[in-house]
């Protein structure tokens, strides 16, 4: 059985090559991005100067623990590079993200980034998106109606719950609907359909945003662009 933790670390380590001094760096969320933050922190402690913009409260705590100076959108309107994880990556580098519930901030940061790098273990690389339930952030009022409309698009829809059986609440105080489509044949079209539903705040489909995916596979990494192997 592959060592997925090692694959995550290898991918995160490879992504460091793309970070130059003076850059504004988007700091992703999740366990693979956490490897990147730890490794970047080591460089910062050795005098490497960058500033980070975190994609979640948890990431901002982690970044501070590792000594990474942080900034925000009151000081910067673009990021040079962002390193984040994903739940699924297809061959065109479209993604499902939001397994950790941070998809809205992650998408705001991704869309403000010049070069988006996704780091992942080999399980995340898929032929078609959709086996992983697509997280959709919705306002709490009327979430049931939003859920019905997403069901009409072909998904099995579940309101995300916490370990204590309460509806999960995002950083923006919204809920998440986990929508299992099994196979998303046309991600772009699904983005448009979801955008048309009143009450949807954002969804975890990231289409056409990724510049480079670095996937750990065994004791190596694969670097992929939308055109193929980099
Ligand atoms: C959080 C995310 C994460 O990037 C995604 O869930 C991958 O996490 P991990 O690296 O722990 O597998 O989108 O909202």
């Amino acid at each position: 059985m592959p060592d997925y933790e090692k694959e995550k670390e290898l991918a995160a380590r490879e992504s460091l090559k793309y970070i130059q001094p003076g850059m504004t760096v988007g700091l992703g969320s999740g366990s693979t991005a956490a490897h990147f933050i730890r490794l970047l922190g080591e460089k910062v402690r050795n005098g490497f100067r960058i500033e980070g913009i975190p994609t979640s409260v948890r990431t901002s705590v982690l970044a501070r623990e590792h000594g990474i100076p942080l900034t925000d959108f009151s000081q910067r309107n673009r990021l040079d590079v962002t390193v984040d994880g994903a739940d699924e990556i297809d061959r065109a580098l479209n993604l499902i993200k939001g397994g950790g519930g941070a998809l809205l901030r992650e998408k705001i940061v991704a869309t403000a980034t010049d070069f988006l790098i996704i780091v992942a273990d080999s399980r995340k690389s898929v032929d078609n998106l959709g086996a992983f339930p697509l997280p959709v952030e919705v306002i709490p009022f009327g979430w049931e109606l939003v859920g019905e409309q997403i069901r009409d698009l072909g998904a099995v829809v579940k309101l995300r719950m916490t370990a204590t059986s309460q509806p999960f609440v995002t950083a923006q105080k919204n809920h998440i609907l986990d929508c299992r489509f099994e196979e998303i044949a046309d991600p772009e079209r699904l983005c448009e359909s979801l955008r048309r539903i009143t009450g949807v705040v954002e969804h975890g489909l990231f289409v056409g945003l990724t510049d480079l995916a670095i996937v750990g596979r065994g004791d190596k990494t694969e670097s992929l662009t939308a055109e193929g192997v980099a």
Side-chain angles (χ1 to χ4, degrees):
M1 166 135 151
D3 182 345
Y4 296 118
E5 225 32 62
K6 184 172 170 206
E7 289 185 350
K8 290 178 193 186
E9 210 220 319
L10 283 173
R13 195 175 286 282
E14 179 69 15
S15 73
L16 282 179
K17 293 183 183 164
Y18 296 84
I19 315 296
Q20 301 297 323
M23 281 184 162
T24 303
V25 182
L27 307 173
S29 297
S31 58
T32 320
H35 282 291
F36 169 72
I37 292 161
R38 177 177 54 78
L39 293 166
L40 184 62
E42 282 173 16
K43 282 175 75 94
V44 166
R45 286 197 298 281
N46 287 325
F48 192 78
R49 289 180 55 186
I50 55 98
E51 283 185 317
I53 297 188
T55 53
S56 62
V57 176
R58 192 178 248 188
T59 290
S60 97
V61 171
L62 192 64
R64 282 205 179 88
E65 279 170 10
H66 287 284
I68 298 174
L70 299 180
T71 185
D72 59 32
F73 290 116
S74 70
Q75 307 298 317
R76 302 273 181 277
N77 55 16
R78 292 296 301 170
L79 299 93
D80 298 292
V81 64
T82 288
V83 177
D84 202 349
D87 300 301
E88 284 186 347
I89 311 168
D90 74 8
R91 305 278 166 239
L93 305 194
N94 297 319
L95 316 172
I96 287 184
K97 283 186 54 55
L103 68 101
L104 179 55
R105 291 191 185 188
E106 288 171 341
K107 198 175 271 188
I108 290 171
V109 168
T111 55
T113 292
D114 292 337
F115 196 75
L116 176 62
I117 302 176
I118 296 299
V119 285
D121 65 71
S122 56
R123 291 171 297 183
K124 308 296 181 61
S125 179
V126 298
D127 288 330
N128 293 295
L129 301 178
F132 189 93
L134 175 68
V136 179
E137 181 156 346
V138 297
I139 65 161
F141 181 82
W143 69 264
E144 298 90 343
L145 306 182
V146 176
E148 270 170 34
Q149 291 171 80
I150 299 177
R151 241 171 243 128
D152 290 344
L153 297 174
V156 174
V157 177
K158 282 196 183 140
L159 178 67
R160 189 177 296 184
M161 305 298 278
T162 63
T164 55
S165 302
Q166 298 301 310
F168 177 86
V169 177
T170 68
Q172 291 70 226
K173 308 214 179 315
N174 295 313
H175 290 336
I176 298 246
L177 299 179
D178 288 307
C179 306
R180 187 183 289 278
F181 284 90
E182 296 299 350
E183 191 173 322
I184 299 173
D186 188 341
E188 214 159 317
R189 196 156 154 217
L190 182 56
C191 286
E192 280 163 27
S193 303
L194 290 169
R195 203 158 288 138
R196 278 199 290 267
I197 300 174
T198 305
V200 168
V201 178
E202 194 47 84
H203 56 77
L205 269 177
F206 284 46
V207 173
L209 290 173
T210 307
D211 296 289
L212 182 71
I214 304 175
V215 178
R217 205 173 283 285
D219 55 7
K220 293 196 169 59
T221 57
E222 276 173 9
S223 292
L224 305 160
T225 66
E227 283 74 45
V229 177

